Amino acid sequence: MTLKDYAALIDARLAELLPEAEKKIPDTDEIPWLLENAMRYSVMAGGKRLRPAMLLACADMLGVNRAEALLDACALEMIHTYSLIHDDLPGMDNDTLRRGRPTNHVVFGEGQAILAGDGLLSYAMELMLQNAMAYPEHSARHILAMNDIMAGAGVGGMVGGQCMDLYCEREHISDERLLSYIHVNKTSRMLTSPLRAAAALAGFAPDSPETTALTVYGVKFGLLFQAVDDILDVVGDEKTLGKSIGKDAEEGKLTYVTLYGLEGACKRADALAAEARDSLAIFGDRAAFFVKLLDDMTHRVA
């Protein structure tokens, strides 16, 4: 299966989980129509569905029942979308364009956008817990998978990385160690956690050779993703990207380009791609999806 094939599966399930709601007074325990539509607005705005697709592709590679992994994949996309909604807020990146259309707070207001992000995060956890209860024979595996996903998104992961990103931006700090911390936590952790979650669902221990190899791949792939993102913010096309460009330099962000220059950032991206590819050797031909993902990421324009 291709990335587009996995994205289609995820889109269909997400549409079921977040149907368009009619304006009415909500019943007890029902999602208010305004909240549901604000959540749906950003979740169904498109995107590659990269993180949940990685979880499903890894689950397929390791022999996990896809039905058992699909809800976790959807929850992961909700967590990613919540982070985008909050990142776009005036108090964070202050963006007005996301995936080619107005950001959530532009459409629904700042308060509702904050709640939409909060709602997606809490709903994601509910869905993963419901999924775990649906497979009691694999409850320990599901707990490990949830732990990887939530830790990757949490205070020692994405949230921590975003915290230091804002700190460096506002204090005008340029430090290679901080750049590494920011990129590993803000970006790589959310690209590593789907792979580790799939390994957990397959029954592999957190320190197994397979999980370790997937972790290395996820970290390197995430750093590559960020390096390419930093490069595109300089040389990309706003219409193709579907978001504003040039904001990193304008806001004084710490990036690969600001530290290493454009040429140095490109060389770093090539080295990260090679390191990620090497980590897949343990899986042989079964890792074809992830090899292609590296090639696509290296040459992406959006």
Side-chain angles (χ1 to χ4, degrees), residues 97-133:
L97 189 68
R98 170 71 67 178
R99 290 172 174 169
R101 62 179 187 168
T103 48
N104 198 288
H105 70 273
V106 171
V107 177
F108 295 93
E110 289 182 39
Q112 293 295 344
I114 292 169
L115 292 173
D118 294 344
L120 286 169
L121 177 60
S122 58
Y123 191 31
M125 193 63 197
E126 285 183 50
L127 292 173
M128 288 190 290
L129 286 167
Q130 290 170 12
N131 195 43
M133 289 186 286

Side-chain angles (χ1 to χ4, degrees), residues 24-296:
K24 67 180 182 70
I25 297 174
D27 295 329
T28 303
D29 297 330
E30 186 177 35
I31 303 174
W33 65 272
L34 179 57
L35 178 59
E36 184 157 6
N37 286 341
M39 291 160 64
R40 178 185 172 85
Y41 176 83
S42 292
V43 168
M44 303 308 296
K48 300 179 184 68
R49 308 304 191 197
L50 177 61
R51 291 155 189 82
M54 290 174 73
L55 194 157
L56 291 184
C58 191
D60 284 350
M61 182 176 74
L62 300 178
V64 177
N65 175 9
R66 188 183 295 165
E68 193 167 346
L70 182 56
L71 211 54
D72 283 357
C74 290
L76 184 63
E77 184 66 10
M78 290 183 185
I79 293 169
H80 173 58
T81 303
Y82 119 75
S83 75
L84 299 182
I85 294 172
H86 284 189
D87 279 357
D88 290 336
L89 288 166
M92 301 278 271
D93 288 349
N94 194 24
D95 255 316
T96 58
L97 189 68
R98 170 71 67 178
R99 290 172 174 169
R101 62 179 187 168
T103 48
N104 198 288
H105 70 273
V106 171
V107 177
F108 295 93
E110 289 182 39
Q112 293 295 344
I114 292 169
L115 292 173
D118 294 344
L120 286 169
L121 177 60
S122 58
Y123 191 31
M125 193 63 197
E126 285 183 50
L127 292 173
M128 288 190 290
L129 286 167
Q130 290 170 12
N131 195 43
M133 289 186 286
Y135 298 96
E137 70 278 14
H138 291 159
S139 59
R141 297 181 181 187
H142 279 274
I143 290 170
L144 282 174
M146 284 188 287
N147 181 68
D148 276 314
I149 290 171
M150 296 311 296
V155 293
M158 178 183 66
V159 174
Q162 180 70 12
C163 167
M164 297 310 297
D165 189 25
L166 284 173
Y167 170 74
C168 288
E169 177 187 334
R170 291 173 181 175
E171 300 297 325
H172 306 290
I173 294 173
S174 181
D175 184 288
E176 188 170 3
R177 292 172 302 168
L178 274 175
L179 179 69
S180 176
Y181 178 89
I182 291 166
H183 288 343
V184 167
N185 287 279
K186 181 180 174 182
T187 305
S188 284
R189 288 295 301 276
M190 283 289 286
L191 290 161
T192 304
S193 60
L195 305 178
R196 291 183 58 89
L201 292 175
F204 291 105
D207 59 351
S208 69
E210 291 82 2
T211 305
T212 300
L214 290 167
T215 301
V216 172
Y217 176 88
V219 170
K220 301 298 182 181
F221 181 81
L223 293 176
L224 170 65
F225 183 98
Q226 188 62 58
V228 173
D229 208 51
D230 291 349
I231 292 165
L232 288 175
D233 191 69
V234 177
V235 302
D237 176 75
E238 185 170 300
K239 185 176 180 181
T240 303
L241 288 170
K243 63 179 180 179
S244 307
I245 65 168
K247 289 182 65 66
D248 290 346
E250 181 184 325
E251 296 175 359
K253 278 188 174 294
L254 183 60
T255 70
Y256 279 104
V257 176
T258 57
L259 269 183
Y260 306 123
L262 186 58
E263 183 179 352
C266 291
K267 288 181 179 178
R268 182 64 181 141
D270 289 340
L272 288 166
E275 292 166 6
R277 186 175 288 104
D278 290 345
S279 71
L280 295 171
I282 189 174
F283 302 108
D285 293 340
R286 291 183 296 159
F289 173 90
F290 294 101
V291 172
K292 186 176 187 310
L293 206 56
L294 281 174
D295 293 336
D296 291 345

